Amino acid sequence: MLLQKIEAKKGNITESVRKISEKENVPAEKISESVAKGRTVILTHKNICWTGIGDCLHIKVNANLGTSPNVVDVDGELSKLDKACQLKTDTVMDLSTGGNLDIIREKIVQASPVPVGSVPIYQADIETVEEKGSFSHLTAEKIFRTIEKHAESGISFVTVHCGITLENLEMLKKSPRKTGVVSRGGSFIFSWMALTGKENPLYENFDRLIEIAKKYDLVLSLGDGLRPGCISDATDNLQISEVLKLGKLAGYANEEGVQVIIEGPGHVPINQIFTNVQIVKNICASAPLYLLGPLVTDIAPGYDHITSAIGAAVAGWAGADFICYVTPGEHLTLPTIDDVADGVVAAKIAAHAGDIARDMPGARKQDDLISEARFKRDWKQQEIFSINPEKFKKVRESQGIFSDDVCNMCGKYCAMKIISDMLKTPVTHF
Amino acid sequence: MLLQKIEAKKGNITESVRKISEKENVPAEKISESVAKGRTVILTHKNICWTGIGDCLHIKVNANLGTSPNVVDVDGELSKLDKACQLKTDTVMDLSTGGNLDIIREKIVQASPVPVGSVPIYQADIETVEEKGSFSHLTAEKIFRTIEKHAESGISFVTVHCGITLENLEMLKKSPRKTGVVSRGGSFIFSWMALTGKENPLYENFDRLIEIAKKYDLVLSLGDGLRPGCISDATDNLQISEVLKLGKLAGYANEEGVQVIIEGPGHVPINQIFTNVQIVKNICASAPLYLLGPLVTDIAPGYDHITSAIGAAVAGWAGADFICYVTPGEHLTLPTIDDVADGVVAAKIAAHAGDIARDMPGARKQDDLISEARFKRDWKQQEIFSINPEKFKKVRESQGIFSDDVCNMCGKYCAMKIISDMLKTPVTHF
């Protein structure tokens, strides 16, 4: 097994680094150096697709898929996968918690053209509850076996909640947090620690995780079990104490040649986002930062693709590398396929706004092309260069089309038409 | 006629200041001082509603309404007004350019519970073209008469493109801008200046505008005819040269006791938004800043309520006071009623995120209430405290409801349920 970080540390530029270099128009040497330092990771998908995530590359987007205990529609999830990929998500995660989890995961891995991530603790926990009636019977053995099974079945990255410990459980009991723990995996582990009085195996036996990661070049996404679930809980002692532990583990993984990502909040007021990104980057050896949002307000369920796009754009500007989409269904329901589409596009907008702010090479090219087409009122070209041509067409036609030249908001009083005519025609001819 | 700024300068706290103080929970003295300094304006609507906009108050939202040359459906526009007000827009503007403009404006003013703004140059120009065949026959007299007619008919604030001049026309001809001028009113005036060789009457005869404003306590919203229409044109010499002129005029209006707002861009990369807000605030005597977006990328027609919400939230954090909504129809069509709803909510989210960042008194209250209800899985309370309860219900029900306790994303594996059960129950009872 060729390990990306080990090769990069040796100064070997791998085939996958070359492919990413071509795709993103960033020098291969630069990417390889960043991988060696742990500032960039490379996700490998079935030897057909390599996706780089890190400080010298474009910001990437993930779309969550998967069944719930109440809604198990595997074909529906595969349709969401197609839609998310059509709208250019960079990765997907299978977060299924209902139905036959092995079969669903395998179907998604097989159908996906992009790297697939998962959260193995879900399956370990759910199977334990189903087989033995309670979380409390979960064993370290079961957790690590499940993680290895996921890696074997083609999963490229796994969320592992390594940074929460018994110490955090005591802190949590005394905490004034309004929403406690909103991480599903985090709640499983806290509950297990409370039931058994034992330390989190993912923290205590991190070495075992390192061994699995080395065997499969599995990227470890160090989960944020204590991410704030409302703006009132943001940037608190619980959140930061987890970041400190993740930093220690990230440093160790770096030494061992294992690729890691750090996961981040959550719900954060807009003026605390830079602080959050900088703390994680500083403490966690500048490992790639994977954010869920952050949502900049709690009041907008039904619109959390927007509240999270605001936060994600600012976070991208501040240095976040990887954005998990949030759909309009967040906090309310498993997303519909339309929710998935809206979520992917909102996250892509945020990522793109971040790339522009960070002055990524070529980031403005598509903006320039569509703007030039806009001034010429070339609607076909605008459609082609728009983030979702299907939506462009649908909205443009929503109230009928009255002209091939202008849109029906301003009609003949189109400012760009008036000005381009004026600039074209000598004044005396008016 | 009682003039808000004159009274404030005298140290008199008006009835409208008291009403705003009660509504926003900000001391009346503080508001009045801010009005006296020109940092806050008070819009008066038919002696039934007063809306304050400025640095000591909550960020406000405007929704644009109005017909186009191609789509004239007055009842449709009145339905949009109702929808926008139901979703708590703070003001509306009638930007009609099709049908009988006087009748439409009067119907909107009559039906509206919130202050109504307009752009009188549209009517002056359109009527001139209709009557005389060309922009070139427009006269200063016609412009000022139309402005006065709007004030008389109950308009609370008018956009007046006072800062563009013949000098700008020459600059524009040599400019590398990709989208030239995207302000409709701006394009009318530039075109008129090019045709006639004359100076912009709104600049040259600003005194006349001051007199009308005094007669009706009409708030002058100094329009940005040179706002960038794409990120490539942002923060350029044309834009800044207009800001310099607006600053001069704002200073003069301040001396004369006339209330002014400054309008701002447009399309601006996220990392240039603070710069833009600070330049306008510094140069224009900290007058309230009214922004259209800014949109942080050009590539997302169909989703520009999102690109603008990102920009507006950052701008609000930076100090913007008044946010004009952008709908998903922007750049493509006159908005549908659903577009209006999406536009208002996106702008309200941005305004609220800005209020939180600026630590406005009480800004976090609704967030705290919904988050507490969320932890308790009290769905009725969450619905009540959500930004759009109708949408909340629709999304929650979109895939069926399987439980009164949890949502169907995580079902029985709800993190908050697991954690609140754990925190409630002594560990030994598990």
Side-chain angles (χ1 to χ4, degrees), chain A residues 170-192:
Chain A
E170 293 313 306
M171 288 166 75
L172 183 62
K173 286 178 187 164
K174 293 174 202 138
S175 164
R177 276 195 165 197
K178 288 195 192 302
T179 54
V181 173
V182 296
S183 154
R184 202 154 46 173
S187 76
F188 289 171
I189 291 170
F190 273 119
S191 180
W192 182 84

Side-chain angles (χ1 to χ4, degrees), chain B residues 219-231:
Chain B
V219 174
L220 303 179
S221 189
L222 304 185
D224 52 341
L226 281 164
R227 69 170 174 269
C230 61
I231 59 167

